[in-house]
């Protein structure tokens, strides 16, 4: 059988890795796919740089639309990134009747509804395993392996850069900026690393996971997003002393009133599996009603781990290339006409435990008053620690609460910060046991 022809858009970290893995494992991949998968055209900005990596017989150009419109190309692999040019290219590839493989979570989290609808109408596939958790086949697991289940929640560490930063800061005491620069050098970070640091990249991925888990449309605009830039080194240390570790988590949970969709730093018990996921590794826990909890762990970013997912998609698309579109696995796991309109809940409705840290004047009645504000807001204290603050007459208090409604916690914090003996803002971090 003739080889399947791939047009590769972008030859950076992931594009370069994809090219290398396809070349190195060509025979093994052909045995699995049933035919050879051949990159026959590439588009980049810097042709001379690309030439150093590629064989000389490959067509390399600077116009990605030429690749997308080339009638000999069967599959377009979009590895440019961003959501402007990439969106135009993907929609054009679909219009040209080509299957698409992409690692672009930013694109799909924002324009997934439009892109999947266009692909279904044209009878082509859009595969995106590399868009979530790099090399971990989490999309395949949720979309295919767990189809028997009513999925209850999905939670995990889905951004390698921030997990690398938090791990290095905690274990080696390195400053934030130094570790971020290292993550960029290693090819983990997004072109704009604020996407990583501010939790946006994790929210892109979580949006896709929520759609796959619950059969809801992609709704990135409704995700609650809080990154790690405001995290104090002091809280990382204190969490450790209290038996917790701080991780940037993505959590999406089915509740009777709607679906939680949130990314934020959280304290997780130090003995939990997620607490021990270090460096650029990712881990995703999925809880289904039949299977219980399952855990998926692996490299969440970088050249070849991400290429592993891109190439797996290429093999899938090659195998199904000529299959009847009606019989393919739906893009978002559920049939397009069976999507649910369950609402996404506001962060105010989230129920979890909290870590609250504040500095107060160290004098009689202070604790009693704080306890009353918390009790009035229906917040129950699980434990409390008092330690001397830097200012001699002040004390630092840390409250760990039982589960409470975020709206109540916010209201209590406003009241606490207005009390005359409170000397600092209240640091509020969520706690997740994921039991
Ligand atoms: P890079 O910046 O390393 O690579 C981008 C590539 O796109 C480069 O080859 C660049 O060409 C090319 N490019 C950019 N603009 C154009 C254009 N106008 N025309 C033609 N080519 C263009 O990005 P990554 O490989 O890191 O990321 C690619 C995608 O994969 C993104 O969507 C990212 O979110 C996603 N991703 C990345 C992961 C990672 O670990 N890095 C993991 C999972 C997903 P040139 O080199 O000539 O400038
Ligand atoms: N910037 C992303 C990360 C790449 O750090 O996880 C993988 O999606």
């Amino acid at each position: 059988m003739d080889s399947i022809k791939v047009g590769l858009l972008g030859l950076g970290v992931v594009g370069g890795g994809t090219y290398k893995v396809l070349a190195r494992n060509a025979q093994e991949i052909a045995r699995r796919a049933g035919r050879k998968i051949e990159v026959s055209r590439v588009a980049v900005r810097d042709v001379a740089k690309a030439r150093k990596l590629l064989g000389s017989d490959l067509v390399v150009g600077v116009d990605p639309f030429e690749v997308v419109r080339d009638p000999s190309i069967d599959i377009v692999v979009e590895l440019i990134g961003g959501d402007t040019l990439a969106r135009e290219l993907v929609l054009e590839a679909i219009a040209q009747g080509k299957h698409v493989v992409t690692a672009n979570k930013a694109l799909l989290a924002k324009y997934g509804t439009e892109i999947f609808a266009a692909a279904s109408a044209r009878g082509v596939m859009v595969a995106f395993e590399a868009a979530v958790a790099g090399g971990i086949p989490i999309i395949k697991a949720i979309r295919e392996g767990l189809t028997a289940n009513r999925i209850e929640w999905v939670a995990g560490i889905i951004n390698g850069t921030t997990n690398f930063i938090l791990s290095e800061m905690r274990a080696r005491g390195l400053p934030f900026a130094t570790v971020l620069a290292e993550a960029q050098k290693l090819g983990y970070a997004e072109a704009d690393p604020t996407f990583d640091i501010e939790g946006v990249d994790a929210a892109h991925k979580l949006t896709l996971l929520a759609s796959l888990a619950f059969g809801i449309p992609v709704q990135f605009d409704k995700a609650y997003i809080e990154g790690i830039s405001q995290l104090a080194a002091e809280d990382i240390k204190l969490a450790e002393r209290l038996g917790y570790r701080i991780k940037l988590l993505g959590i999406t949970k089915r509740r009777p009133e709607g679906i939680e969709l949130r990314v934020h730093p959280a304290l997780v018990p130090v003995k939990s599996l997620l607490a021990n996921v270090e460096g650029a590794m990712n881990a995703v826990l999925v809880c289904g009603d039949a299977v219980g909890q399952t855990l998926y762990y692996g490299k969440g970013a970088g050249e070849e781990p991400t290429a592993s997912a891109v190439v797996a998609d290429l093999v899938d698309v090659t195998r199904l290339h000529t299959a009847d579109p009606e019989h393919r696995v739906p893009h978002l796991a559920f049939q397009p006409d069976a999507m649910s309109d369950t609402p996404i809940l506001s962060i105010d409705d989230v129920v979890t435990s909290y870590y609250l840290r504040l500095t107060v004047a160290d004098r009689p009645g202070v604790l009693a008053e704080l306890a009353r504000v918390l009790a009035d807001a229906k917040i129950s204290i699980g434990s409390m620690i008092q330690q001397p603050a830097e200012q001699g007459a002040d004390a630092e208090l840390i409250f760990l609460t039982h589960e409470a409604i975020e709206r109540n916690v916010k209201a209590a914090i406003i009241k606490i910060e207005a009390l005359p003996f409170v000397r600092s803002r209240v640091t509020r971090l969520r706690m997740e046991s994921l039991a």
Side-chain angles (χ1 to χ4, degrees):
M1 204 186 281
D2 282 350
S3 59
I4 199 138
K5 301 281 191 296
V6 172
L8 194 53
L9 312 181
L11 198 71
V13 174
V14 185
T18 299
Y19 183 79
K20 284 188 213 164
V21 172
L22 274 174
R24 189 174 70 233
N25 298 341
Q27 284 191 356
E28 198 86 348
I29 289 165
R31 284 173 61 210
R32 290 196 164 110
R35 58 203 283 199
K36 207 172 149 220
I37 298 177
E38 184 193 340
V39 176
S40 61
R41 265 191 102 146
V42 177
V44 289
R45 281 179 301 206
D46 182 341
V47 173
K49 190 174 85 183
R51 278 265 167 247
K52 289 187 188 150
L53 180 72
L54 301 167
S56 57
D57 52 342
L58 256 175
V59 184
V60 185
V62 291
D63 183 358
F65 285 97
E66 274 185 15
V67 177
V68 164
R69 292 179 185 139
D70 179 338
S72 74
I73 299 288
D74 302 298
I75 308 175
V76 169
V77 179
E78 184 279 308
L79 298 171
I80 285 178
D83 61 18
T84 45
L85 175 63
R87 174 171 166 268
E88 285 174 44
L89 289 166
V90 165
L91 288 172
E92 179 64 15
I94 292 169
Q96 297 282 330
K98 297 181 195 310
H99 303 294
V100 173
V101 173
T102 180
N104 195 334
K105 54 266 168 164
L107 175 69
L108 295 179
K110 274 175 83 174
Y111 298 112
T113 302
E114 176 191 23
I115 288 170
F116 296 132
S120 297
R122 195 65 175 79
V124 296
M125 288 171 271
V126 175
F128 55 102
E129 185 62 67
V132 182
I136 306 174
I138 185 64
I139 291 177
K140 192 137 190 124
I142 296 180
R143 192 163 55 186
E144 296 174 49
L146 298 174
T147 40
N149 288 264
R150 177 183 157 88
I151 292 177
E152 303 297 346
W153 53 263
V154 180
I157 295 168
I158 47 178
N159 181 268
T161 302
T162 44
N163 202 50
F164 181 74
I165 292 172
L166 291 175
S167 302
E168 295 289 293
M169 281 175 74
R170 184 187 60 77
R172 295 170 58 200
L174 294 174
F176 189 102
T178 307
V179 194
L180 171 61
E182 180 71 8
Q184 288 178 290
K185 210 170 90 193
L186 291 167
Y188 303 151
E190 293 304 301
D192 176 357
T194 56
F195 272 46
D196 297 289
I197 293 157
E198 298 303 347
V200 177
D201 176 73
H204 287 146
K205 294 165 179 166
L206 188 70
T207 300
L208 295 171
L209 289 176
S211 294
L212 291 157
F214 308 124
I216 54 171
V218 283
Q219 298 167 77
F220 170 68
D221 55 331
K222 303 215 175 110
Y224 173 78
I225 312 175
E226 198 180 302
I228 63 165
S229 62
Q230 302 303 313
L231 209 55
E234 188 181 356
D235 292 307
I236 298 178
K237 277 197 213 124
L238 272 168
E240 198 78 8
R241 269 182 51 199
L242 295 166
Y244 293 87
R245 210 158 268 171
I246 298 181
K247 294 289 181 187
L248 183 74
L249 296 187
I251 301 174
T252 183
K253 197 181 281 184
R254 197 197 285 267
R255 299 235 316 265
E257 322 82 68
I259 287 166
E260 293 183 7
L261 186 64
R262 52 190 169 104
V263 169
H264 52 74
L267 278 78
V268 290
V270 77
K271 286 194 177 143
S272 64
L273 289 163
L274 287 189
N276 293 285
V277 173
E278 299 286 35
M281 302 305 275
N282 280 194
V284 186
L285 277 164
V286 184
C287 184
D289 66 339
V291 73
Q293 281 192 23
T294 54
L295 174 71
Y296 307 84
Y297 171 81
K299 288 189 177 152
E303 191 179 17
E304 293 209 1
T306 312
S308 165
V310 173
V311 175
D313 274 348
L314 278 170
V315 171
D316 261 2
V317 173
T318 303
R319 285 171 174 157
L320 295 169
H321 179 49
T322 50
D324 175 357
E326 293 291 311
H327 297 126
R328 292 189 190 129
V329 181
H331 292 110
L332 288 173
F334 291 72
Q335 298 298 338
D337 60 359
M339 299 299 272
S340 145
D341 58 1
T342 312
I344 304 291
L345 296 173
S346 150
I347 189 68
D348 287 346
D349 296 317
V350 162
V351 178
T352 190
S353 306
Y354 293 83
Y355 159 107
L356 306 173
R357 177 172 64 81
L358 67 160
T359 305
V360 295
D362 193 359
R363 62 171 190 246
V366 162
L367 269 183
E369 188 133 352
L370 289 170
R372 198 175 57 247
V373 173
L374 292 174
D376 287 350
K378 298 190 174 60
I379 301 163
S380 166
I381 300 166
S383 59
M384 199 278 297
I385 296 172
Q386 176 170 342
Q387 57 182 14
E390 280 175 9
Q391 295 283 42
D394 292 346
E396 188 169 57
L397 302 178
I398 297 123
F399 293 97
L400 304 186
T401 77
H402 290 304
E403 282 196 340
I405 302 172
E406 174 109 1
R407 177 182 292 104
N408 295 350
V409 175
K410 271 190 192 163
I413 289 175
I414 291 171
K415 283 192 182 152
I416 288 172
E417 286 180 344
L419 292 170
F421 54 77
V422 173
R423 302 276 190 255
S424 70
R425 302 295 306 269
V426 177
T427 297
R428 185 266 297 120
L429 290 166
R430 299 175 191 86
M431 302 173 69
E432 297 290 339
S433 67
L434 300 171

